[in-house]
Structure formats: structure tokens, C-alpha cells
Amino acid sequence: MLFNSYEFIFLFMPICVFGYFVCAKYLSLESALGFLVFSSLVFYGYWNPKYLVLLLFSIGFNYCVGGVLARGPERRKHIILVLGIAVNLGFLGYFKYANFLLDNVNLVLDTHWNAGHIFLPLAISFFTFQQISYLVDARQGKTREYNFLHYCLFVSFFPQLIAGPIVHHKEMIPQFMRAGNLFPKWSNFAIGVSIFAIGLFKKTVIADSLSSYVSPVYDVGGAAAQVDFFRAWGSTLAYTFQLYFDFSGYSDMAIGCARIFGIVLPVNFFSPYKATNIIEFWRRWHITLSRFLRDYLYISLGGNRKGTYRRYVNLFVTMLLGGLWHGAGWPFVVWGALHGSYLMVNHGWTRLLEVLGIDPSGSMPYRACAWLLTFLAVVFSWVYFRAPTIEQANHIVLAMLGASGFEVPAGILARTGALGAWFAEVGGEAAYGGGAVFVGNFTWVVAAGLCALLLPNVAQMFNNYDAALYEHPGSFRDVREVGWLNWHYSNQWAAAISVAFLAGVLTLSQVSEFLYFQF
């Protein structure tokens, strides 16, 4: 079920919270954790009960492998780890990439192999990566788990099961075992509900409203070929902010749900569109995935330990595979290659400045230009992330560069006087109809952009109440007082959160799946 659904908000979540604390009070810790595992499996199986078969097998298999890695003979641990990772990647590869691979083999060899219909289990990428990290940590002696129930909860805890944040075992289990979390706390309820309400507002009011300007360009086959400059930019910017508010809204709701149980999840987004370079962008966007790719892929490839050339190659390969992780399609590969190239250029530029002894970071004009360049690079990459084919993505990119002409609704041009006349003189064309859509598109884009760029994020707003876990506390210089937008216990904030929650509930009728569920 969706976080933004009546079933979750008014049925599942209240029953889950009530049952958990009743079990903790009248039975035992283990019974409360067991109830939470059962509820999480119901939450996951609600989509399709057959998904549970793979999830339960994955949990059982990785628990057994992790146990061997923690307690087995040292001489066999490396082989067992490789086997465990191979099985996890094998399942991920079959369910997510088998048809993609066969389609490309058929295209190259002119064959007609067919694997039939393969259903894609929900969240397989997320729980697979999470358990691979557990196996690696177990091999390195960083974590041990001898209790199957606890391990089940680590993997299946419903707030972060479907789309993250991707968590580490050592982050979660100590919190579940904390005695103080066995009793309901009004502070946790207030903070958790407030964060959830903000996330719900971001998802249903902002992201879902933007979606209506994205689909007509990206989802209609062949339509991109006729898209002009303004429509291409309007749709792509709408998707840029839709994706952010959709996924960061989901992460906020996950953090809010977990906080009601006294559990603090890792921060997953930290105002990424405020970044002034691509390196900083990836420190702020989908932070837990970036952490996984860095720790278990980039460093495993050698990181920056084998010279500059290998460092750049490792960066590129990491992002290429990160793109493929998001989906079985060539547009995702192109998206990953773009960000790999961006990172290589960014590191090269940083190194050049160091060699020249130049530090322009204190210059406002430099920072403004750096932000604009970073934002535009990210926006162009999102075209390939969203478009169903590379051909359609290329059409949209060319339109954004002006290759498909410039059109403005005639009704708008008629009201612009001399500006409209100049627009016609330089080759612009008047389009008939669509004025309301044109205005609505750019109005929503500007409003969403101002929110993303000027307002603090949830981690900042709730920083005084430990809203999220940070890998390195203090790593974000922006975690500070944000004036009147610092959340605190007050009637004013209660009213504001109530309005946000009510607005979110009233817009549930336009329910759409979270964009990252497909990954």
C-alpha cells in the first residue's frame, strides 16, 4: 500500500502503532518486534502476496550466510561472501535484467530468445543492496546477528522497506533494542507525525501536481519530436522538481513513520538542488545509495588508491552501474554515464584549481555560476532518466537547445505587446490553445523551484530534535538554526502541520505511485 493512501494513514498505521506498543507493554520486547515484522510483511504483501516468497527466501538465505561469515572458519569466509553476493545479484539480475539482456542479444544476433513474462518484485533493488552491505560488514567483523527475528526486522521494517533509505544493520538493531522505544512518547508522536505531514504535502500537493505537465511530453510515443523549446523546458523542469519532491517526500514520510516507534532513519536528501558542483550534489541526493555505491563498489574497485587515471575510471564505472541499478534500459545507462563524466570533470577542475593555487569558493559570482552550471547539468541528465527511449530523450534535448523552434500560446502573445512583436520577428511562432497549461506549467515550476532552493529541508527544520542520522555528524554545514522555520512545540506549528496534513489528505484522490518504486 502507498503511504499516501487512506488505507495506510487511517487503518494500517494506527493498528500497527497500537499493536506494537500493546505487545511491548503486556507481553515482551520480542513479541512487539515480532508484531512489527508481521505488520511489515503484510505491508509488503499487500501489493502482491507472491512478492513475499522472494523476500522471505532472501531474508533466510542472507541470514544463514551472514551467520557463517560471523562464526565460520576464516579460510572459507571469502568464498562464502563471494557466493552470497553472487546469489543476491543473480536473483536481481534475473528478475530485473533478464529481458533487457535477451532483447539486446536478439538485436545483435538476430535471434528470438524469450524468457517469457518475468514479474519485477517490489523493492528488490533496495532490499538486495541492503543485505549485500550486511554480508560485507559481517565478513569484516563489523556486525553480527544471531537472532533471526531481529534480522527479519532489519530487512523488512516497513517505513524503509520499499524505497529506502538504505540502512546498515549497526544503525538499526541497537535502536530496536533500546528500552526507551518500548513505550509511546508524545514527543516521538509529535515529531513523527509532523515530518510525515510535510512529506505527504510534498508528495501529493507538489509532486503529483507537477506530474500532469510531465506525462504529455514523456509518456506519449513520438510526441517529443513535435515538442518546442518552451514545452520541452517546461516539462523537463516539472519532472526535475517532481522527482525531488516525490522521492524526498517519501523519505520524509518514512522518517516520520519510523520516528513514531522511536527509530531514527538516516538522512536521504539534503537540498540537493542547492549544490554548487556535482560532487556536492551526490552528497545531498539519495545519500544512502551514494554511500552504498561508494563503500561497496567504488572503494572495492580501488577508489582513489591506484592513481588518478584509475580513480576517474572507478568513478565512471561506479556511476554507470549506478545508472543501470535504477532500471534495465539504455537511457539509464546514458544517465549514469553522464554523471560519471560530470564527476570526472568536477574532480579534474578541482585538481586544476589546487595546482594553480586558486580558491574561488568565496566569490559570490563564481558560486552563482557554479550553481547554475550544476543545476543545468542535472536537468539535462534527468531527460534520459525519464524518457522511455534514447531516441525520445535526444529529441527532447534538441528541443531544449532550440532545434524544434519556439512557440508561445497566441493568447499570451496578444497580451505582451512589443515583446510579442519582437518574439515574432526573431522567429517565434504563436500556438493556438494551451495558454492555461503553459501558465500553469511554469507557475508550478517556479513555485516548486523556490521551495527547493529557498526553504530549509526537514533535517534542518527538525535538527534540534535529532530528526535523522548522519554518517558524519556536522558534515553538512547547513545544519543550523533556520530562524522561524525551526520546528518546535507550539500551537502555531500544530496549526501549520494540521493544514499541511489536511491538504495532503484532500489531494489523495490524485494518488500515483512513488516514482522510485520502479527501481
Side-chain angles (χ1 to χ4, degrees):
M1 66 189 74
L2 295 168
F3 282 169
N4 57 317
S5 66
Y6 296 108
E7 297 90 342
F8 179 85
I9 296 173
F10 298 111
L11 185 63
F12 176 85
M13 192 63 185
I15 291 175
C16 186
V17 172
F18 178 78
Y20 173 78
F21 287 116
V22 166
C23 288
K25 181 176 181 179
Y26 294 104
L27 298 176
S28 65
L29 168 64
E30 295 300 300
S31 64
L33 298 183
F35 180 83
L36 206 49
V37 169
F38 173 77
S39 300
S40 297
L41 295 178
V42 170
F43 175 82
Y44 185 78
Y46 180 87
W47 303 90
N48 191 330
K50 65 183 179 183
Y51 291 160
L52 282 171
V53 176
L54 180 62
L55 176 63
L56 292 173
F57 172 82
S58 178
I59 290 174
F61 172 79
N62 285 286
Y63 172 75
C64 293
V65 174
V68 174
L69 290 172
R71 295 170 292 187
E74 185 66 29
R75 65 182 182 277
R76 297 181 180 177
K77 287 185 177 181
H78 181 70
I79 297 176
I80 293 170
L81 175 62
V82 171
L83 175 64
I85 293 176
V87 171
N88 279 283
L89 294 180
F91 276 104
L92 180 62
Y94 172 74
F95 285 104
K96 194 167 185 177
Y97 302 104
N99 281 324
F100 172 68
L101 178 62
L102 285 178
D103 288 344
N104 284 279
V105 169
N106 290 336
L107 183 64
V108 173
L109 302 180
D110 194 25
T111 54
H112 302 282
W113 294 342
N114 186 358
H117 176 68
I118 300 175
F119 72 91
L120 180 62
L122 192 66
I124 186 172
S125 297
F126 284 94
F127 68 70
T128 297
F129 271 27
Q130 188 163 313
Q131 294 187 97
I132 287 176
S133 68
Y134 167 74
L135 295 184
V136 175
D137 289 348
R139 170 64 182 89
Q140 296 175 351
K142 295 179 180 178
T143 186
R144 291 179 173 83
E145 183 53 73
Y146 302 121
N147 187 301
F148 183 62
L149 180 65
H150 297 171
Y151 184 78
C152 287
L153 185 57
F154 156 65
V155 177
S156 67
F157 186 45
F158 74 88
Q160 50 80 212
L161 170 62
I162 305 299
I166 301 172
V167 297
H168 287 310
H169 183 273
K170 62 184 179 182
E171 294 172 334
M172 300 301 293
I173 295 301
Q175 295 193 69
F176 287 121
M177 304 306 295
R178 192 177 298 154
N181 288 340
L182 295 177
F183 307 98
K185 294 182 179 178
W186 288 115
S187 59
N188 285 335
F189 275 78
I191 295 168
V193 170
S194 296
I195 295 176
F196 182 90
I198 293 172
L200 182 66
F201 183 90
K202 290 165 69 173
K203 163 59 181 170
T204 64
V205 176
I206 302 179
D208 287 347
S209 296
L210 287 164
S211 67
S212 61
Y213 304 106
V214 178
S215 299
V217 170
Y218 282 88
D219 288 345
V220 179
Q226 289 78 43
V227 173
D228 75 298
F229 177 86
F230 291 107
R231 195 174 179 208
W233 272 103
S235 182
T236 301
L237 287 171
Y239 180 69
T240 296
F241 294 113
Q242 179 202 4
L243 182 63
Y244 169 65
F245 283 105
D246 186 282
F247 196 15
S248 69
Y250 174 91
S251 295
D252 291 343
M253 284 188 269
I255 290 172
C257 288
R259 185 55 179 262
I260 291 174
F261 297 98
I263 307 300
V264 182
L265 295 180
V267 61
N268 211 25
F269 287 87
F270 201 92
S271 303
Y273 292 147
K274 296 178 182 179
T276 55
N277 58 64
I278 291 295
I279 296 173
E280 184 184 0
F281 173 81
W282 278 104
R283 289 172 180 164
R284 291 169 173 264
W285 178 277
H286 204 345
I287 297 169
T288 56
L289 174 62
S290 299
R291 177 178 66 174
F292 178 92
L293 294 175
R294 180 200 66 203
D295 292 348
Y296 302 103
L297 184 55
Y298 174 70
I299 292 177
S300 297
L301 291 172
N304 59 1
R305 303 188 303 275
K306 298 184 179 182
T308 302
Y309 174 77
R310 276 293 302 274
R311 180 191 191 185
Y312 289 165
V313 170
N314 293 339
L315 278 171
F316 186 81
V317 171
T318 297
M319 294 310 300
L320 197 68
L321 294 176
L324 192 59
W325 173 85
H326 282 87
W330 287 111
F332 291 111
V333 175
V334 173
W335 175 80
L338 282 173
H339 275 276
S341 302
Y342 293 164
L343 286 170
M344 291 167 62
V345 171
N346 196 171
H347 279 283
W349 175 252
T350 302
R351 178 58 182 161
L352 177 62
L353 292 179
E354 290 176 355
V355 171
L356 296 177
I358 300 174
D359 181 14
S361 60
S363 167
M364 283 301 296
Y366 176 87
R367 289 182 61 81
C369 291
W371 169 81
L372 181 61
L373 181 61
T374 301
F375 182 73
L376 290 176
V378 171
V379 169
F380 273 98
S381 73
W382 286 140
V383 176
Y384 292 91
F385 194 83
R386 178 63 175 82
T389 65
I390 292 178
E391 181 184 17
Q392 187 164 340
N394 289 339
H395 279 306
I396 295 173
V397 167
L398 289 173
M400 292 170 68
L401 296 175
S404 298
F406 304 80
E407 293 183 358
V408 173
I412 295 177
L413 284 178
R415 292 171 172 80
T416 56
L419 182 61
W422 172 84
F423 180 75
E425 290 177 3
V426 298
E429 298 180 8
Y432 293 97
V437 173
F438 185 93
V439 173
N441 187 164
F442 284 97
T443 299
W444 269 107
V445 163
V446 170
L450 291 175
C451 289
L453 297 173
L454 300 181
L455 296 180
N457 54 62
V458 163
Q460 291 172 298
M461 293 171 64
F462 291 82
N463 183 53
N464 295 335
Y465 300 91
D466 299 320
L469 293 176
Y470 296 89
E471 182 181 15
H472 304 294
S475 57
F476 290 110
R477 62 180 181 274
D478 294 337
V479 177
R480 59 179 186 270
E481 294 288 332
V482 289
W484 62 274
L485 285 175
N486 264 118
W487 185 92
H488 54 279
Y489 301 105
S490 69
N491 293 333
Q492 292 86 347
W493 269 109
I497 293 300
S498 298
V499 170
F501 181 77
L502 182 61
V505 170
L506 291 177
T507 50
L508 288 180
S509 58
Q510 56 182 14
V511 165
S512 62
E513 287 191 6
F514 289 97
L515 298 181
Y516 256 71
F517 280 11
Q518 62 185 299
F519 309 130

